[in-house]
């Protein structure tokens, strides 16, 4: 059955908004918001379109956040229907961005419209933070908008990010936090030489191996109520000239921490350096922090959206901090309570991405009812 949410989702999916091209999605959304009295602030950084929309000036401020950009389609001949032609087949809505996350965006809008129709004089304020740079390098998107808001002390009380969070059925999972991501590029130095004369060389691979083994075996923390223990993983190792008779002069090891709120960035760095130094290595180590961990414990927002899910779907939701990073890592800097909730994530970034047509209106109802619980 066609609904306004479904039709809006189709309109957004039909836009070929490959990162960082918004392809007109934001103008569709802005047109709906302006009719509701939202003040629109377009924020373009580099070649990325973003906007901040707000209705009201009082607290509490409830923000919906998301992205209009999508990942590439992959081979078109592997799709059962054209990825930017939204298609309903066997009860599913197919199209690139259907799950990640244009259906959530559509549900944001229709939920707000329904809420305002019922509660025109509601307490607090409603906002949206929308970017077209979430699936890419994410340097001119949400992070820049957050910096601008922070500079003028415009903070959020609650934020719902529409990332697809559910596993088996709509409502089964809320993301109430994400692990941080800290990467390192380690270069261990040796002395290059002929492999037949090892006493005239120093093999950096041999030198680095015991340290790598210790790093891999180290327990960095035990996690906590919401997070599993921090993990350290090697992603790439490169050394040598490509021939069999030369001892390399250096070996390069790239690694990554996925870390919880039980550890700190500086603490992890310090422990890595201590292990490398203990093994007497001559090395260089470049660090890159792509996201700090964030966590929203049980409180007003978790209770509101959890009870909304239960009322709409009958599902007792679970809290999770699994998965990679999201733009929530930036928003958490100016928001007291933040969760991610959206449709099933089983097909995101895959061929034939889809959402169940039967989940679309319930998703909108969950967002509407959450607003009601927080602001009405």
């Amino acid at each position: 059955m066609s609904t306004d949410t479904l039709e809006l989702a189709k309109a957004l999916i039909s836009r070929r908004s490959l990162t960082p091209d918004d392809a007109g999605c934001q103008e569709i959304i802005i047109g709906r918001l302006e009719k509701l009295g939202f003040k629109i602030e377009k924020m373009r950084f580099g070649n990325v379109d973003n906007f901040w929309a707000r209705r009201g000036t009082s607290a509490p401020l409830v923000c919906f956040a998301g992205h209009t950009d999508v990942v590439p389609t992959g081979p078109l001949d592997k799709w059962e229907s054209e990825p930017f032609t939204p298609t309903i087949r066997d009860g599913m809505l197919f199209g690139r961005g259907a799950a990640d996350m244009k259906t959530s965006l559509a549900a944001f809008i229709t939920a707000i419209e329904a809420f305002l129709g019922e509660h025109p004089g509601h307490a607090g304020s409603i906002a949206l933070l929308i970017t077209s740079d979430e699936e890419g390098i994410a340097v001119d998107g949400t992070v820049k908008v957050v910096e601008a808001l922070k500079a003028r002390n415009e903070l959020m009380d609650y934020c719902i990010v529409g990332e697809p969070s559910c596993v088996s059925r709509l409502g089964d999972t809320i993301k109430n936090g994400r692990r941080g991501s800290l990467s390192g590029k380690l270069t261990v130095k040796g002395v290059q030489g002929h492999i037949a004369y090892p006493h005239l060389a120093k093999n950096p691979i041999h030198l680095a191996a015991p340290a790598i083994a210790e790093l891999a075996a180290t327990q960095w923390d035990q996690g906590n109520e919401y997070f599993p223990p921090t993990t350290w993983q090697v992603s790439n190792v490169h050394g040598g000239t490509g021939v069999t008779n030369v001892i390399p002069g250096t070996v390069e090891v790239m690694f990554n921490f996925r870390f919880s709120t039980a550890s700190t960035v500086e603490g992890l760095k310090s422990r890595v350096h201590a292990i490398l130094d203990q093994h007497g290595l001559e090395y260089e180590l470049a660090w890159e922090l792509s996201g700090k961990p964030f966590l929203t414990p049980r409180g007003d927002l978790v209770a509101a959206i959890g009870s909304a899910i239960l009322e709409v779907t009958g599902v007792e939701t679970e809290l999770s901090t699994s998965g990679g990073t999201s733009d929530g890592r930036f928003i958490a800097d100016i928001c007291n309570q933040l969760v991610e909730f959206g449709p099933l994530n089983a097909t995101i970034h895959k061929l034939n991405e889809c959402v169940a047509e039967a989940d679309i209106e319930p998703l909108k109802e969950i967002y509407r009812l959450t607003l009601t619980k927080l602001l009405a």
Side-chain angles (χ1 to χ4, degrees), residues 127-154:
L128 289 95
L129 193 169
I130 308 297
T131 183
S132 63
D133 184 35
E134 196 272 347
E135 299 288 11
I137 57 175
V139 297
D140 286 321
T142 298
V143 63
K144 289 286 183 67
V145 178
V146 167
E147 288 172 359
L149 295 174
K150 187 176 183 179
R152 66 196 192 203
N153 201 35
E154 191 166 2

Side-chain angles (χ1 to χ4, degrees), residues 278-295:
Q278 175 189 331
H279 285 269
L281 300 179
E282 183 182 357
Y283 67 92
E284 295 177 354
L285 179 50
W287 294 97
E288 180 182 359
L289 176 66
S290 56
K292 295 179 181 179
F294 66 89
L295 175 66

Side-chain angles (χ1 to χ4, degrees), residues 347-367:
T347 64
I348 61 174
H349 294 205
K350 293 184 177 181
L351 301 169
N352 299 305
E353 179 181 351
C354 60
V355 293
E357 184 181 8
D359 286 348
I360 295 175
E361 205 59 20
L363 179 62
K364 165 237 176 172
E365 282 299 300
I366 291 167
Y367 292 150

Side-chain angles (χ1 to χ4, degrees), residues 13 79 81-87 93-99 352-354:
I13 293 168
W79 283 74
S81 53
E82 207 283 327
F84 293 103
T85 301
T87 304
L93 172 62
F94 289 86
R96 177 56 87 221
N352 299 305
E353 179 181 351
C354 60

Side-chain angles (χ1 to χ4, degrees), residues 100-117:
D100 190 13
M101 53 173 283
K102 291 182 176 181
T103 297
S104 293
L105 295 177
F108 285 169
I109 302 307
T110 56
I112 293 169
E113 290 171 341
F115 171 75
L116 292 177

